[in-house]
Structures are given as C-alpha cells and as structure tokens.
Amino acid sequence: MNFDWQYFLKALIQLPEYIPVTLIMAIFAMILAIVIGVIITVFQLSPFWILRRFAHFYISFFRGMPTLVQLFLIYYGLPQLFPSLRGIPAIIAAIVGLGFKESSYLSEIFRAGFNSVDEGQIEAGKALNISKITLFWHIVLPQATLNALPATGNTFVSLLKETSLAFTLGLTELFGEGKMLAGESFKYFETYLAVGILYWILIIIYTWLQSLLEKELLKPYRRDLNEPDRSEGPVS
Amino acid sequence: MSLIEVKDLSVNIGKKKILKHINLNIEEGTVTALVGPSGSGKTTLLRTLNLLQIPTAGSLKVGTTTAIAGKIDTKTIHDLRQNSAMVFQQFNLFKNLTALENVANPLIYTNLANKKEAHKTALKILKKIGLEEVITQYPATLSGGQQQRVSIARAVAVRPRVILFDEPTSALDPELVESVLQTIAGLAKENITMILVTHEMDFARQIADEAVFIENGEVLSKGPAKELLSGRTSPRIDSFINSLKRSAFA
C-alpha cells in the first residue's frame, strides 16, 4: 500500500492552522441563520397571510437551491446588480450565503419547536390572564428552545461541513488549504484524509459539548434523573 | 345578587350546537357541580364561563363584568378572567417552572404581586396543601396527584372569586384521586365559590350545594346537590348515576 504516513501526519499538523477560519465562518453563519430563522418563524406563525406567504416562499427558495449556487449568486451575481457590492470579502459572502441557506432549515425546526409546546399550557396561561407576549417569552420560548436544540445542533454540524464550499469563492479555509496541499504534493489520499479527520474531530467535540448542554438543560424535566416524590403528603 | 349569571347562553362550534339557551345563576360562596353524560356540554359551559370558549348567543356575568355574545372584546375577556381561575383535567402546569414558580409566577406576570410577595403567597398555599417538600421540583418529576394539587394552588393564588374545575380527577390513577378531592373539599370549607365538572358523584353530593344536570347542551335539571344527585328526583338522572356506578365496578 502506497500510503505516506509521514506526509499524512505532517498534513494533520499543518492543516489545523485554518480551523479558525472555518470556525469563524460556521459560527457567524449560524448566528445569522438563527436571527433570520427566528424572524421567518415569527412570520410563519403570524396571523397575517402575507407574512406567512413570504415565509413559505423564503423557505422554499433557499431550501430548493444548491448551496454552491447561492454562494455564487451572492459573491459573483449581486455585484453585477449592485456595483457597490464589488470587492465584498469572500468570507462575508460565505457567511451571508450559508446563513441564509441554513435559516430556511432552522425556521422549520423552530416552528416545530413552538408547536411542540402543548396547547394546554397556553390555555392555562390565558385562563390566568397572562398576556400573550409574557406567555410567549416566559413559557413558550424556553420550552421551544429546548425542544429545538437537538435539531439546531444538527444544522450546525451540516453548516460546519458546508463551509468547505467557501473555497470556491477563493477563500483559504480548512478544505481550501487541503486542496492546495494535495495539488502541490500529489498526495491526494493522505491530504484529504487528514482534512476529513479534522472536520470529524471538530464535529465530535461539538457533539460532545452539545450533549453536555442538553443534559444540563433537560435535567429538571427528566423524571429518571430526579427522585420523584410520589408520596401523597398530608392535606390540611 | 348572584356572582355568576348566565342568560340564554348558546355555543356553536362549527355547525354543531354544543350549548343551547343555558340559564344559570350561581351564588357567591357556593359549590356547584355540573354533571351529565360525556359530550353533554359541561366542559364547554365551564370554558365559556372563563371565555376560553366564546359564546355564540346570550350573555354571562361574572362579578361585575358582563360579556354579551357578539360584543366580546379583549378588555371584556381580561376583566372577566380577573374574577375566575381554572383547574384543568390534564393539570396544564408550566413545564419549565418549578412547583413554586408555577404558583408564584402568574402573580408576577399579571402584576398582582412582586416577586417576594408572590413567592411568600405561593409557599403559604403549597404548605397548606402539603406540598412544601416538592416546591423546587418540576412538573415532570411530580405524581399526577401532586401536579393537580399544584394546579389547584396556582388557581387559588390569584385570589379569584370563582374557581372552575374541569374534571380534576379524571386523568388520575385511582389511588391519587383522594388527595385531590381532599384539597378541593378543603377549599369548599373556606367558602370559596367553585364550579365543578365531575363524574365523582359521591364527592359532588358531599361538597356541592347545588347541582346542574346537563344533557345534549341543555340544562335538564338543577337544584340542591344532595337531592338532585340522589337520583330520586328524575328517572334520567337516576339512570345516569347508575350507569356511572356500573362503569366504576366494570
């Protein structure tokens, strides 16, 4: 087997230098996706049909188009229509493109999160004369956020991997650097394996952090993690 | 003067007539049991008294607030709900709040008390019904009986003029029913006005002053609970009570 272990290890040591670019892109795109995702969710749940229609169109448009096409539209296409956007940094274009794309998925996840809060609690709140906004902020939102957390985490995992498409805009991130190394050395397998393993490690770390967060946040709600007091105490 | 006055109240859901021309007066400090077969409209009537269900025709007055069908706005709903609180069949506790917060936070959210006062009030009520041990626990970690008692405490805390109970024990395991019934009986002794939808006939006979028998969306009969629920006043009520007994032994 013609596998150059030495080169593989060298790539594995050299490539992490580009992890910060990948992470910056993923984190900022995720923040943007969450902000837009929340707005689109609010539109989806709005009583106004025009906002619901717009949300439906937005989700359909951004989910239906390949990520690469969206990145090209933003980076190469928009400056043609708006010359002031000429020279926009590739990393900004990538963050915006990925953020818009993932927001369409997130808004569906958030909507499911809101719908999973049972109607009974909302009805109890209404019966107690709690205003809709207070009810949303203190009761619905915290529960919807928890319910949406696992799927939101999966979106971040996808996003992290999709940042590799940013090399097509000329940005040197983890995959882009790997591509260059492979081109110079012709050691394609070793280089791309190192790149793949680094993405994998990032995702393992993220998944572990998310599971810790989920465990901590869900602790109060889980009967098996608490000692339920099933005794029916005295009634005075 | 009656605390609650229901006049010619009708409720349609879609094309279905759920309540038809209901007339009812409920005095302050009394316990009224709403009884009748499943699907007769008892729960709809209870929900209409809190305007969780908007009436199609007629009017209802709770305390000083009158709601007339067709003229019910958000202010009317807000004013009317200040007089009442509701206890639901499925407890409907706020799952992200502890037992104490479930009772205290509605007081804070509705500006009835500041945080300190609300917690003091909540603690006092929860202690009174024997739940001081579970105040820091979340609903998911409580038994059904405890959840329902927290939900009763939540209703009591807002100091309503009337508490509406919608089959408060029907979602509970039989061994947990007693503690909830004792809690409700405790409130009855304090002369809190209560309207109770229930299938617990013995309990209703024991604590209710008045009973209303509803069938097919109409008030078939009303009168003193002990008399009406003995079944001796009407063959229909007698057959209903017997059917409940049969299903209890089945």
Side-chain angles (χ1 to χ4, degrees):
Chain A
M1 194 172 67
N2 188 19
F3 185 85
D4 188 341
W5 281 99
Q6 215 177 347
Y7 183 83
F8 169 70
L9 289 173
K10 195 183 135 200
L12 214 50
I13 293 164
Q14 200 176 330
L15 285 166
E17 196 186 318
Y18 292 88
I19 287 178
V21 183
T22 294
L23 284 181
I24 285 170
M25 236 188 317
I27 290 168
F28 280 99
M30 190 66 184
I31 292 170
L32 182 67
I34 290 172
V35 172
I36 300 173
V38 168
I39 295 168
I40 297 297
T41 308
V42 171
F43 284 8
Q44 276 185 295
L45 301 173
S46 155
F48 304 109
W49 70 268
I50 194 154
L51 294 180
R52 289 199 304 272
R53 275 284 172 86
F54 175 78
H56 184 77
F57 166 78
Y58 180 93
I59 293 165
S60 172
F61 184 77
F62 283 102
R63 279 206 313 192
M65 208 184 276
T67 313
L68 205 52
V69 175
Q70 286 178 32
L71 291 180
F72 277 32
L73 265 177
I74 289 169
Y75 191 61
Y76 299 113
L78 282 182
Q80 181 196 320
L81 296 183
F82 308 101
S84 60
L85 291 175
R86 230 166 251 161
I88 180 179
I91 191 163
I92 300 291
I95 288 170
V96 171
L98 293 171
F100 273 58
K101 165 93 181 173
E102 295 305 332
S103 68
S104 62
Y105 287 97
L106 282 183
S107 64
E108 286 290 82
I109 291 168
F110 294 161
R111 186 172 64 91
F114 285 119
N115 288 340
S116 67
V117 178
D118 69 281
E119 188 62 30
Q121 293 181 65
I122 297 162
E123 205 158 65
K126 281 185 195 168
L128 286 161
N129 235 348
I130 300 171
S131 72
K132 273 185 190 170
I133 293 172
T134 309
L135 206 54
F136 177 81
W137 192 251
H138 292 280
I139 307 299
V140 178
L141 190 62
Q143 292 183 56
T145 306
L146 270 187
N147 295 340
L149 198 59
T152 305
N154 284 340
T155 303
F156 184 70
V157 167
S158 299
L159 179 60
L160 191 63
K161 289 181 287 185
E162 285 206 315
T163 56
S164 62
L165 292 173
F167 94 92
T168 58
L169 307 183
L171 191 72
T172 313
E173 39 64 65
L174 188 54
F175 178 73
E177 177 62 11
K179 197 169 158 33
M180 280 196 272
L181 283 183
E184 285 162 13
S185 64
F186 301 109
K187 305 240 181 241
Y188 295 106
F189 193 82
E190 290 86 342
T191 315
Y192 288 130
L193 185 63
V195 170
I197 286 173
L198 286 172
Y199 275 111
W200 187 30
I201 291 171
L202 286 179
I203 283 159
I204 287 173
I205 294 170
Y206 169 75
T207 309
W208 174 69
L209 287 174
Q210 186 182 322
S211 72
L212 284 185
L213 179 71
E214 271 178 39
K215 225 180 240 178
E216 198 48 43
L217 293 175
L218 288 170
K219 211 186 261 179
Y221 303 96
R222 289 176 57 183
R223 191 178 268 273
D224 57 328
L225 289 175
N226 289 274
E227 269 301 305
D229 184 353
R230 287 168 168 276
S231 67
E232 293 292 316
V235 179
S236 53
Chain B
M1 201 174 73
S2 303
L3 175 65
I4 296 174
E5 288 174 24
V6 177
K7 280 185 193 162
D8 208 24
L9 188 90
S10 297
V11 172
N12 297 354
I13 297 178
K15 283 182 181 171
K16 206 170 172 202
K17 291 179 177 174
I18 308 293
L19 292 178
K20 303 163 198 164
H21 310 290
I22 303 276
N23 288 290
L24 205 60
N25 281 353
I26 288 166
E27 301 301 320
E28 187 141 28
T30 60
V31 178
T32 304
L34 298 182
V35 295
S38 296
S40 58
K42 310 179 295 289
T43 295
T44 305
L45 175 57
L46 203 71
R47 289 166 57 82
T48 311
L49 294 178
N50 197 267
L51 292 180
L52 282 175
Q53 179 65 52
I54 302 296
T56 315
S59 70
L60 69 112
K61 186 171 155 247
V62 181
T64 52
T65 309
T66 304
I68 300 165
K71 294 177 184 169
I72 298 169
D73 54 14
T74 47
K75 190 182 179 306
T76 311
I77 295 174
H78 179 268
D79 291 349
L80 189 132
R81 284 181 185 160
Q82 278 187 326
N83 295 312
S84 65
M86 196 154 174
V87 173
F88 298 85
Q89 192 177 347
Q90 298 293 341
F91 333 131
N92 295 353
L93 290 179
F94 303 129
K95 288 177 186 162
N96 60 322
L97 304 181
T98 63
L100 184 76
E101 289 166 343
N102 257 286
V103 182
N105 287 17
L107 297 173
I108 304 166
Y109 298 155
T110 52
N111 297 321
L112 287 172
N114 61 33
K115 194 176 173 183
K116 200 177 160 191
E117 289 165 354
H119 278 235
K120 203 174 146 191
T121 306
L123 195 61
K124 194 175 151 193
I125 298 168
L126 287 167
K127 266 186 181 171
K128 198 172 172 187
I129 57 172
L131 289 173
E132 65 267 43
E133 300 294 320
V134 301
I135 56 167
T136 56
Q137 286 184 223
Y138 286 82
T141 69
L142 300 175
S143 71
Q146 287 170 330
Q147 287 190 57
Q148 192 57 297
R149 282 153 64 200
V150 172
S151 129
I152 294 171
R154 180 174 68 176
V156 172
V158 294
R159 306 186 80 178
R161 293 185 72 181
V162 57
I163 303 180
L164 312 166
F165 291 85
D166 183 16
E167 300 195 35
T169 57
S170 47
L172 298 176
D173 291 336
E175 70 268 23
L176 303 177
V177 169
E178 194 52 35
S179 63
V180 172
L181 294 183
Q182 280 187 47
T183 306
I184 299 170
L187 297 178
K189 278 183 198 152
E190 291 176 23
N191 286 331
I192 294 176
T193 313
M194 294 192 283
I195 303 175
L196 190 70
V197 169
T198 185
H199 283 138
E200 301 278 346
M201 285 303 134
D202 289 338
F203 178 69
R205 256 192 303 269
Q206 224 174 55
I207 72 151
D209 302 292
E210 297 287 317
V212 180
F213 187 86
I214 298 175
E215 190 162 42
N216 296 325
E218 288 172 305
V219 173
L220 202 75
S221 188
K222 54 188 168 187
K226 284 181 184 60
E227 207 177 297
L228 195 84
L229 302 178
S230 68
R232 288 190 292 270
T233 53
S234 141
R236 174 64 194 108
I237 298 173
D238 189 31
S239 105
F240 169 69
I241 292 169
N242 284 332
S243 73
L244 284 182
K245 280 181 190 161
R246 277 197 301 276
S247 61
F249 287 115

